[in-house]
Amino acid sequence: AFAAAVERNPHNWYGFLELGIAETLKGRRRQALAHLAVAAELNPLEQVIASVSRDVRARKRVDPREIDAIFVRRATGSAPAPRATGGSP
């Protein structure tokens, strides 16, 4: 679904973030970093992209549920979100 989304709109930073996360979960670190680099280029101020990229480079676990929760908290105005992944701050 996200591959089709970025084909339709190559400026969709969120689609590239999700593709990077999906590749990480499949163990495809190089491909994940390539997608995350595009996401960061499209939205250089998004801290979630930076955090996920750091964790992928460090071979830390990336939990998509935690990342989704960050965006839900932002959308609902809840408390500030913790780091995007399982690594320590």
Side-chain angles (χ1 to χ4, degrees):
F2 288 107
V6 298
E7 281 182 31
R8 283 191 309 274
N9 179 1
H11 302 287
N12 182 349
W13 68 268
Y14 186 79
F16 282 104
L17 170 64
E18 289 290 345
L19 285 172
I21 293 166
E23 293 294 349
T24 297
L25 297 175
K26 294 177 185 175
R28 299 178 187 160
R29 194 169 154 264
R30 185 179 310 200
Q31 294 91 330
L33 289 170
H35 289 305
L36 292 167
V38 174
E41 184 177 317
L42 293 171
N43 189 353
L45 300 179
E46 179 52 67
Q47 291 300 308
V48 172
I49 300 167
S51 179
V52 171
S53 297
R54 275 192 307 273
D55 286 347
V56 170
R57 280 193 296 280
R59 299 181 190 276
K60 292 183 180 178
R61 179 183 63 86
V62 174
D63 185 344
R65 293 170 301 185
E66 291 179 19
I67 296 164
D68 291 345
I70 290 169
F71 290 110
V72 168
R73 282 191 288 274
R74 282 186 191 173
T76 61
S78 299
R83 284 182 38 89
T85 57
S88 53

